[in-house]
Amino acid sequence: VPALTGGCQCGSVRYVLAVAPARTDLCACRMCQKAVGGPFAVLAQVPREHFAWTRGTPGAFRSFSVASRNFCRDCGSPLTYSADVDDVITVTAGTLDTPEVAWPVEIWGVESLMPWLTPDTLATLPRRHSDEDPTLPPVVSYQHPNRD
Ligand SMILES: [Zn+2]
Ligand SMILES: [Zn+2]
């Protein structure tokens, strides 16, 4: 398996996974909701020995007594969640350069799942492409590209 790369929105912090994620989970717990600013985190897991930072130094926050989360101090992207009690680390799947490789297999934190997060809602919301916003003038992206 070729190495998978990823990083934050601004490109200050980059990482590499030497192997494909062993599994990916959704977590809708309140801590993950706060950490990612969304209804759930999508966390792709690899053995810690197969994870390395390749650029920059992330910030860290201990969200509870035996776990910490890394994030970019410059742009705020949430990057990892890891518990001290095992030898795995999870990356936020959206920060992978190829996020579609991480296919979730389980939902955690269902006690705080958003009530609107139902198959029916997802199936019936109107759909738009991101370049369809008529309120924006022509824009230039400052997001780091999907590669090192
Ligand atoms: Zn950043
Ligand atoms: Zn969580």
Side-chain angles (χ1 to χ4, degrees), residues 27 29 32 69:
C27 188
C29 83
C32 285
R69 298 171 191 265

Side-chain angles (χ1 to χ4, degrees), residues 92-114:
T92 49
T95 63
L96 287 166
D97 292 332
T98 53
E100 67 277 6
V101 303
W103 195 275
V105 296
E106 198 164 357
I107 305 180
W108 293 70
V110 291
E111 69 282 356
S112 43
L113 203 60
M114 288 290 114

